[in-house]
Amino acid sequence: MTKASLLPRRKLRAASLLNLALVAIVLIIATTAYLLFFRPESEAAGTTRPTVAVARGDVTAGVSSSGTLQSSQTASPQFATSGTVTAVLVKVGQVVAKGAAIARIDPAAAQRAVRIAEQNQIAAENSVTAADETLDDAEEAKEEADAAAAEPTPTPTPGEQTQTQTQSQGQSPAVAVTNAKASLARAKADKEQADQNLEAAQAGVTATTLTAPIAGTITAINGSVGSVAGGSSGSGSTGSTGTGSTGAGAAGGSSTASTSTAAGTGFVDIADLKTLQVVAAFPEADAVKIKAKQAATVTLNAEPGSTLTATLTSVSPMPTTTNGVVSYSATFTLAKVPATARIGQTANVTVQTAKAANALYVPTTAIVTSGTTHTVTMANGGGSREVQIGVQGGSFTQITSGLDEGEQIELLQGAIGTATGQGGAGQGRTGGQQLPGGGGGQFPGAGTGGGANRGR
């Protein structure tokens, strides 16, 4: 057979193989389409929708946000009097007690003011003494004049009459007493002012030593030896609300009050690192759900494996608007501060807004909501059933009526395949919500027959 006659046969054989391959592909597609779209619904449901049992336990709902760790009490004390710094007695990171000496300025000017005030006080005391003696003399003269006026007066001779007229032209004893009392009052007022000036000057000497208005850790030193400090308002200590309170003042000679808490406004910055708190902002929709004394949980990005307990201390009544988004600041007090916690660390906080204890619950994905009607699909072809719901958590919802504990229902969303009933009920979180149960529990389903997650 010639080569020319073999070529058409090979071409026909190749075309036949190609046609067979195309037919096989069409059959595979058709079979797949049939299995997906035309098989009985009961068969499909049995392999795509897992089932779980209605369980009993605690269901909680909450809202979440993130913020930072902050000290509940800070201070930035400043010298109350101006002067050149002669000594810095602390260093960054040092823990100081309330009233401890921090730094000193040159006391020479303050000491001169004390000496001047002391001299003025002595002069004022002398003035009081002199005015008191003048009053005594005036009162004595008045008594003598009154006694003389009470005795019968004989007709004076021409010479005596002239002397009497001359005396009557001078100041009367009563007027002299009045004037002497006024002079004494002025002298006493000057003495009181001199005493106050001396006290202020002495306080100025005390104020040349800056002391700590609160106990805490030195976080920054904003001055140095040789620099000029003081003479302007510094920041006093602040509480958890962020408003200023009076510093040591004259007694401590250290600081003045101010509502400013910005670092660097005082000679040093002090923070109480033993009482840290979390400050987080909540959007207005969530802010209306939170209030003081609610329980909360906190996790730190630096320690993702640990969960801290906290209490909502306060919610700011004033909003903050950022890029058109309104939020409200909330402050949380930690029950225990980890040794590794640091100011400024990022903290994620979840506030428990509602809780149903020992309640029936199902996964939220098992509930279909239409308006105000809630239904679940019963397992094994039991159809749908209307239920009443209570607390709605992120992953689980309380059932108040319509179901009994242990009844099997279908999940509307879940992994494709035979239901195992395992649901991961522990203390995890979905969408910031705490899941019911005590951790590591199972949701019993068609394939396990295990016990329900009963929470605590």
Side-chain angles (χ1 to χ4, degrees):
M1 186 177 291
T2 63
K3 293 182 179 180
S5 62
L6 291 176
L7 290 175
R9 292 183 180 182
R10 291 179 180 176
K11 291 181 179 180
L12 291 173
R13 187 179 298 174
S16 298
L17 292 175
L18 178 61
N19 291 334
L20 289 174
L22 292 175
V23 170
I25 293 173
V26 170
L27 289 175
I28 293 173
I29 294 174
T31 302
T32 303
Y34 172 78
L35 292 176
L36 290 176
F37 300 105
F38 297 101
R39 64 178 175 170
E41 291 185 2
S42 60
E43 179 184 356
T47 59
T48 59
R49 287 189 178 178
T51 62
V52 295
V54 179
R56 184 175 293 277
D58 295 344
V59 182
T60 60
V63 294
S64 300
S65 183
S66 62
T68 57
L69 281 181
Q70 299 182 13
S71 174
S72 61
Q73 192 176 34
T74 61
S76 295
Q78 178 63 281
F79 285 99
T81 185
S82 180
T84 302
V85 179
T86 58
V88 178
L89 308 176
V90 296
K91 58 183 179 180
V92 174
Q94 181 176 339
V95 178
V96 296
K98 181 178 181 179
I102 294 175
R104 294 191 179 96
I105 60 175
D106 187 355
Q111 291 170 346
R112 285 195 298 272
V114 169
R115 290 193 294 270
I116 293 173
E118 287 174 342
Q119 294 172 359
N120 291 338
Q121 185 191 48
I122 292 173
E125 289 176 349
N126 293 336
S127 297
V128 171
T129 300
D132 196 28
E133 292 176 353
T134 300
L135 177 59
D136 289 341
D137 293 341
E139 289 176 340
E140 183 178 352
K142 182 176 180 301
E143 290 176 357
E144 293 176 354
D146 291 342
E151 296 178 358
T153 303
T155 302
T157 62
E160 292 176 346
Q161 184 175 2
T162 302
Q163 183 179 1
T164 301
Q165 291 175 352
T166 302
Q167 292 177 349
S168 64
Q169 292 175 357
Q171 188 180 61
S172 67
V175 173
V177 169
T178 300
N179 292 339
K181 288 181 178 180
S183 297
L184 179 60
R186 286 192 297 272
K188 288 182 177 180
D190 293 341
K191 171 64 166 56
E192 184 176 354
Q193 183 62 53
D195 292 341
Q196 293 177 0
N197 292 341
L198 178 59
E199 291 179 1
Q202 291 171 339
V205 173
T206 303
T208 59
T209 298
L210 182 66
T211 59
I214 63 170
T217 301
I218 303 295
T219 58
I221 298 176
N222 307 311
S224 59
V225 174
S227 63
V228 177
S232 62
S233 294
S235 292
S237 60
T238 62
S240 60
T241 58
T243 56
S245 59
T246 303
S254 63
S255 64
T256 57
S258 172
T259 57
S260 173
T261 59
T265 57
F267 187 81
V268 298
D269 297 332
I270 307 174
D272 183 358
L273 302 184
K274 295 181 179 179
T275 55
L276 298 183
Q277 60 189 12
V278 177
V279 179
F282 286 82
E284 54 185 324
D286 290 341
V288 297
K289 302 176 184 178
I290 62 177
K291 59 184 177 180
K293 299 184 179 180
Q294 284 179 325
T297 56
V298 175
T299 59
L300 302 178
N301 285 0
E303 297 184 21
S306 62
T307 300
L308 310 176
T309 58
T311 302
L312 178 55
T313 305
S314 63
V315 180
S316 174
M318 297 302 296
T320 299
T321 303
T322 304
N323 296 328
V325 178
V326 177
S327 61
Y328 292 82
S329 177
T331 302
F332 299 85
T333 300
L334 296 175
K336 184 179 180 180
V337 179
T340 56
R342 297 290 184 270
I343 291 178
Q345 286 182 334
T346 301
N348 304 303
V349 58
T350 299
V351 185
Q352 180 179 299
T353 57
K355 179 179 180 179
N358 194 31
L360 293 177
Y361 66 85
V362 299
T364 302
T365 56
I367 301 175
V368 176
T369 300
S370 177
T372 59
T373 302
H374 310 281
T375 59
V376 297
T377 301
M378 306 304 296
N380 303 322
S384 63
R385 185 185 299 180
E386 184 175 347
V387 296
Q388 301 297 319
I389 66 174
V391 176
Q392 294 178 272
S395 297
F396 299 93
T397 299
Q398 177 192 8
I399 301 298
T400 58
S401 66
L403 291 173
D404 294 324
E405 184 177 356
E407 287 189 290
Q408 296 284 334
I409 62 173
E410 292 184 352
L411 290 176
L412 302 181
Q413 300 174 14
I416 301 298
T418 303
T420 63
Q422 295 180 354
Q427 289 292 336
R429 289 200 187 101
T430 300
Q433 313 299 337
Q434 186 176 1
L435 309 187
Q442 287 186 334
F443 288 108
T448 64
N453 179 358
R454 295 184 179 273
R456 299 173 188 162

